[in-house]
Amino acid sequence: MSALFESSVPGLPVRRGKVRDVYELPEGKLLIVASDRISAFDVIMPTPIPDKGRVLTALSNFWFEKFARDIAGFKHHLLATRWDDFPPAVRVLDGGGAGEVRKMLEGRSVVVKKTTVVPIECVARGYLTGSGWKDYQRTGTVSGVKLPAGLRQCEQLPAPIFTPSTKAAAGHDEPISFDAAAAQVGGGLMDRCRTLTLELYQRAAAYARERGILLADTKFEFGALPDAPGDPVLIDEALTPDSSRFWPADQYEMGHDQPSFDKQYLRNYLETLAWNKTPPGPVLPGEVVELTRAKYIEAYERLTGRPFVEDDGSDR
């Protein structure tokens, strides 16, 4: 199987994130391409995961569309998810040739409204795990949110909590209190982001639970449009294995790490290495690549009820 480590769209300005390549389009639009890069501990691994970008794109689109159907007034940044609906500024790049640009982009790219990004990662936690568990062991709190004493690792919280973090352009995101986040972006906007984050988490967690998956935690990103700066719009990705912890419900047991359908498997592998969690990341062995890919695909199929159509590599 082949993988796309980095996209290359001729003639368009680009910014590259940990996973996504973002191209500027006319008329306040962006083309977002999900590569097969994978990061852990905020470090991009040198080994991509085949089909990962296609899974992320398809699963995010599923959630955006579901929330738009289910929640009155819900706003997101998606404009087009299919090549035939992309604006001429993108489709013309094929120039009537062999369709190489289309083959590279199809299934892993979307066209969206350009927003002013709220520079806060909006995290909802329903279970005590990951960095939240470590914080609780030290302080009895998670990002300043006081929790009951005596909770166990991976225990479900009495109610989901909102734990924002900084959005770092490079390096590690850092936990931040709600008050500090509000001081940075404004209390009204942060209140709205918290309300939306917890509503989306609770809806998604209930839906996933019906399909045998526990949504332990997730993070969202929001943006604002020029005509409504205080009304956040969901952007980037939603409820994917990159942004969420998904656990099989039938194997859930408090007191230890859980098996997962997300990149926790990769994190656990990396924890066994003599690696200091700074760039460069280690090359991943084939078994880790294959199992990580399989977990992403299983998450997609179980959550959507749709088979994942594998990429045969003919577009590379």
Side-chain angles (χ1 to χ4, degrees):
M1 292 176 292
S2 60
L4 181 71
F5 189 83
E6 183 176 286
S7 66
S8 178
V9 180
L12 296 179
V14 63
R15 304 188 311 275
R16 301 194 192 278
K18 292 169 186 169
V19 173
R20 287 167 178 78
D21 300 334
V22 182
Y23 294 88
E24 294 276 346
L25 296 175
E27 302 177 345
K29 300 174 183 177
L30 301 171
L31 171 69
I32 301 180
V33 183
S35 74
D36 294 328
R37 298 190 294 270
I38 191 166
S39 69
F41 307 109
D42 294 310
V43 175
I44 298 171
M45 301 293 110
T47 312
I49 307 298
D51 285 321
K52 175 175 172 285
R54 297 173 70 241
V55 171
L56 297 184
T57 300
L59 190 52
S60 284
N61 293 348
F62 167 82
W63 288 110
F64 281 126
E65 292 160 5
K66 177 174 173 54
F67 290 146
R69 289 193 307 269
D70 295 349
I71 303 173
F74 172 76
K75 297 178 181 178
H76 59 71
H77 69 165
L78 276 186
L79 292 172
T81 61
R82 298 172 58 252
W83 173 268
D84 290 342
D85 298 326
F86 285 180
V90 178
R91 287 185 285 113
V92 74
L93 298 173
D94 258 351
E100 291 306 313
V101 173
R102 177 173 183 167
K103 290 177 182 177
M104 177 178 61
L105 297 181
E106 204 156 32
R108 62 168 71 248
S109 59
V110 293
V111 173
V112 304
K113 303 171 190 175
K114 187 175 182 179
T115 67
T116 299
V117 177
V118 178
I120 301 292
E121 298 274 9
C122 293
V123 181
R125 298 177 185 272
Y127 293 78
L128 191 55
T129 187
S131 62
W133 167 242
K134 293 177 182 177
D135 194 6
Y136 175 77
Q137 288 179 292
R138 292 192 306 268
T139 68
T141 68
V142 178
S143 297
V145 179
K146 182 68 176 177
L147 295 176
L151 296 179
R152 299 173 63 189
Q153 184 180 12
C154 295
E155 184 167 352
Q156 186 172 15
L157 299 175
I161 60 174
F162 178 72
T163 61
S165 67
T166 60
K167 182 173 170 56
H172 297 282
D173 300 332
E174 296 292 341
I176 187 174
S177 70
F178 177 84
D179 289 344
Q184 183 175 340
V185 305
L189 179 58
M190 209 64 240
D191 268 329
R192 184 71 180 127
C193 287
R194 175 170 59 185
T195 298
L196 274 170
T197 296
L198 292 175
E199 179 181 5
L200 296 179
Y201 170 80
Q202 289 170 312
R203 284 177 176 269
Y207 173 88
R209 184 65 180 84
E210 293 174 355
R211 285 147 186 82
I213 292 178
L214 302 181
L215 175 58
D217 53 40
T218 193
K219 66 179 179 180
F220 298 109
E221 294 191 39
F222 295 97
L225 296 169
D227 58 347
D231 191 11
V233 175
L234 186 63
I235 64 171
D236 193 49
E237 64 178 323
L239 296 150
T240 72
D242 267 15
S243 64
S244 314
R245 285 187 176 89
F246 296 121
W247 297 338
D250 60 357
Q251 299 179 54
Y252 171 67
E253 183 179 74
M254 286 187 293
H256 55 77
D257 283 331
Q258 307 298 306
S260 66
F261 297 118
D262 52 62
K263 63 181 178 182
Q264 189 60 44
Y265 168 78
L266 173 61
R267 294 189 194 100
N268 291 344
Y269 164 75
L270 293 171
E271 291 277 19
T272 68
L273 306 180
W275 175 55
N276 62 2
K277 299 178 184 177
T278 60
V283 173
L284 304 180
E287 181 182 11
V288 171
V289 170
E290 284 294 326
L291 287 174
T292 301
R293 178 180 179 275
K295 288 178 180 295
Y296 274 62
I297 290 174
E298 184 174 2
Y300 170 83
E301 293 183 336
R302 291 185 63 164
L303 288 167
T304 67
R306 305 168 184 168
F308 179 74
V309 179
E310 298 187 5
D311 184 1
D312 63 7
S314 61
D315 59 343
R316 304 294 183 263

